[in-house]
Amino acid sequence: MLFSVLLPLAILVQGSVARHAMPPVSELMQKLHEQKASRRGLYKRDALDLEVLYPEHNLSVPIDHFHNETRYEPHSNGTYDLRYWFDASHYKPGGPVIVLESGETSGVGRLPFLQKGIVAQLAEATGGVGVILEHRYYGTSFPTPDLSTANMRFLTTEQGLADVAYFATHVKFPGVNCSLTAPDTPWIVYGGSYPGAMAAFLRVLYPEIFFGAISSSGVTEAIYDYWEYFEPIRQFAPPDCVSATQHVTHVVDNILLNKNNTGKIQQLKAAYGLSGVTDNRDFANVLTGGIYNWQSTNWDPEENSPEFYYYCRNMTTKPLYNQSADLRESVKDLLVAGGYGSNPNLENIMLNSIGYFNLTSVSRCKDSTQDECFSTQNATFYAEDDLNTYGWRSWNYQVCTEWGYIQTGNTPKDILPLISRTLDVEYLTSFCQLSFNINSTINPPDVDRVNKYGGFNISYPRLAIIGGEADPWKPATPLADNAPKRNSTTEEPVLLITGGAVHHWDENGLFPNETTPTTPPSFVVWAQQFEKNFVVDWLKEWKKK
């Protein structure tokens, strides 16, 4: 049975610019324009008032922590300002420091977690100081005057980890009349996703500095061709929506991958209103703009994006779009070319898919050609390297050099993919060549520089592993289906959050007057209480020592 919830059309077509496997350059240009127009950068407007509540501070830290490593030549003896925020309102003498590593974004976007999220909850439970720490090369924490390829050499995992260690042993919190540096004060580090991996690595690499760590959705295993990203979506998203997406994608691939089928390829593009898109892969990339929103679902209304479910409510066997009716005969022909013959249900699904992408993607492209609107290849744009480009350039550099995580349609042959198989490593890493002159097919990211810290097997006393069962990043965490099974103990807590939990759902929180009988959901309440309990137990061990 297909996903057949039928909502009013006004609901069905709602949506902002869709997320894609590979962001079109026009989308990146728009974000860059917004960033240059605002000193605050890319993060939710809700966080702006928190900048007044929690003033920013800076600590001068070394640009280069590793003068014996040739990869950082020419070395630097300089320092730069690493930005941070803190809240000492819960502090009681002897309490810990709870530091959240903000990762690949401006740290301002993490301030809600200092006010009412996991940092605030842990600080209140332990009488501690809560801290948000920005990552080098993000926000305003830049070691270099620009983001040219040569100046990006100091953006590595080990340099970022060394920053946090330096911060913990040198920071002085203004207005707090005592020293809270490690190792004389217990430091507990928390992170979600990439910062979750950093939290785990910090506990293993600097155990004398960080007394404990919570790795939430921590991607401790770097993977180059990360087709597994879509497996939790396939397993936990509404099955009718998944099946509809798989079969439409299968039709598209059977046409695109038939090299003797150029006429049908053009007919397919025309049906979707995308006949002006030259590159077949750019066309297939547009069609990822629905399924990709799964990661943006959240239990918290302030964090949640409903885009995924808007998409799914369109992928139904019930005809929804009057303007698609004229395409029915063409779609019937395309289904035959795509290997499905006569299939009325799939016919309606494909017509609805055409209507959805026309409204959410095609209709947005009015002031430029379709190639300009949907192309992912633009050498001039990718050559830009001023500091404002960090919103896409900094993490892309980390992807190209160390982390990988190229989310391809390269599923095993017995699994129908959720995105086109034409979206392969070569296409999805083209920005590496255009941005940094890195040919990823010849010089793939050196994932060993990440996986040396433990990968799937990472383990250490007072290192907690937390994750969501439906998280598309779960296959890169210690909770992956093919990772060693773990038993939870107070010493090494483990929790797989159920209830369809996705990406570090334990991180955000609500004020008591904002809660309802179902928000936060019980499994999130339980997870956060679980974390508070084992951190309190860890600190009892500290006091004994």
Side-chain angles (χ1 to χ4, degrees), residues 129-170:
V129 173
V131 180
I132 304 295
L133 181 62
E134 198 161 72
H135 193 294
R136 60 169 55 203
Y137 287 88
Y138 294 94
T140 64
S141 300
F142 294 107
T144 56
D146 60 43
L147 302 181
S148 61
T149 303
N151 279 339
M152 298 288 275
R153 68 188 184 279
F154 298 115
L155 177 52
T156 64
T157 303
E158 66 179 1
Q159 293 278 11
L161 295 170
D163 278 347
V164 188
Y166 185 93
F167 179 85
T169 54
H170 289 80

Side-chain angles (χ1 to χ4, degrees), residues 264-299:
K264 292 300 180 186
I265 292 173
Q266 198 57 34
Q267 181 182 343
L268 175 66
K269 291 180 182 178
Y272 274 92
L274 292 167
S275 56
V277 177
T278 303
D279 193 318
N280 293 342
R281 300 166 301 178
D282 287 340
F283 165 72
N285 189 46
V286 175
L287 306 189
T288 67
I291 203 71
Y292 240 97
N293 288 296
W294 176 256
Q295 184 180 326
S296 299
T297 60
N298 198 286
W299 64 266

Side-chain angles (χ1 to χ4, degrees), residues 404-416:
Y405 293 140
I406 310 305
Q407 296 145 39
T408 70
N410 187 30
T411 64
K413 291 183 179 180
D414 61 334
I415 299 175
L416 290 180

Side-chain angles (χ1 to χ4, degrees), residues 267-465:
Q267 181 182 343
L268 175 66
K269 291 180 182 178
Y272 274 92
L274 292 167
S275 56
V277 177
T278 303
D279 193 318
N280 293 342
R281 300 166 301 178
D282 287 340
F283 165 72
N285 189 46
V286 175
L287 306 189
T288 67
I291 203 71
Y292 240 97
N293 288 296
W294 176 256
Q295 184 180 326
S296 299
T297 60
N298 198 286
W299 64 266
D300 185 346
E302 291 297 315
E303 294 290 322
N304 179 59
S305 167
E307 300 295 332
F308 180 82
Y309 289 100
Y310 292 152
Y311 164 73
C312 281
R313 287 165 183 163
N314 279 261
M315 300 297 283
T316 170
T317 59
K318 296 182 179 181
L320 299 175
Y321 295 91
N322 292 331
Q323 62 268 44
S324 298
D326 295 338
L327 294 169
R328 187 170 292 276
E329 291 305 314
S330 180
V331 166
K332 287 181 179 179
D333 188 40
L334 290 169
L335 290 181
V336 172
Y340 280 84
S342 177
N343 189 321
N345 280 347
L346 186 54
E347 187 181 309
N348 286 334
I349 290 169
M350 193 159 182
L351 285 167
N352 288 335
S353 171
I354 289 170
Y356 174 81
F357 286 109
N358 264 270
L359 284 166
T360 58
S361 296
V362 179
S363 64
R364 299 178 186 274
C365 185
K366 298 176 180 178
D367 301 322
S368 60
T369 68
Q370 289 192 332
D371 271 343
E372 290 170 338
C373 193
F374 298 115
S375 176
T376 59
Q377 316 293 306
N378 187 318
T380 301
F381 172 79
Y382 278 114
E384 293 188 39
D385 59 14
D386 64 74
L387 296 181
N388 288 301
T389 63
Y390 84 85
W392 60 268
R393 190 171 176 87
S394 293
W395 179 245
N396 278 1
Y397 182 80
Q398 294 188 260
V399 164
C400 297
T401 55
E402 291 187 336
W403 286 86
Y405 293 140
I406 310 305
Q407 296 145 39
T408 70
N410 187 30
T411 64
K413 291 183 179 180
D414 61 334
I415 299 175
L416 290 180
L418 288 168
I419 68 170
S420 172
R421 293 188 187 276
T422 65
L423 302 178
D424 55 16
V425 166
E426 180 182 7
Y427 172 74
L428 295 174
T429 60
S430 58
F431 63 85
C432 295
Q433 180 74 54
L434 296 172
S435 303
F436 313 113
N437 198 29
I438 297 173
N439 186 327
S440 291
T441 58
I442 298 174
N443 297 304
D446 189 356
V447 295
D448 289 342
R449 291 190 179 276
V450 174
N451 294 334
K452 67 182 180 181
Y453 299 117
F456 288 133
N457 299 298
I458 194 166
S459 176
Y460 211 85
R462 295 188 301 278
L463 168 57
I465 304 296

Side-chain angles (χ1 to χ4, degrees), residues 86-153:
F86 74 95
D87 178 14
S89 62
H90 300 294
Y91 180 68
K92 298 177 182 178
V97 173
I98 310 294
V99 58
L100 181 146
E101 165 58 37
S102 67
E104 70 283 23
T105 185
S106 165
V108 175
R110 309 298 193 194
L111 292 182
F113 309 138
L114 185 61
Q115 183 188 37
K116 56 183 179 179
I118 192 62
V119 180
Q121 294 180 32
L122 291 174
E124 183 176 13
T126 61
V129 173
V131 180
I132 304 295
L133 181 62
E134 198 161 72
H135 193 294
R136 60 169 55 203
Y137 287 88
Y138 294 94
T140 64
S141 300
F142 294 107
T144 56
D146 60 43
L147 302 181
S148 61
T149 303
N151 279 339
M152 298 288 275
R153 68 188 184 279

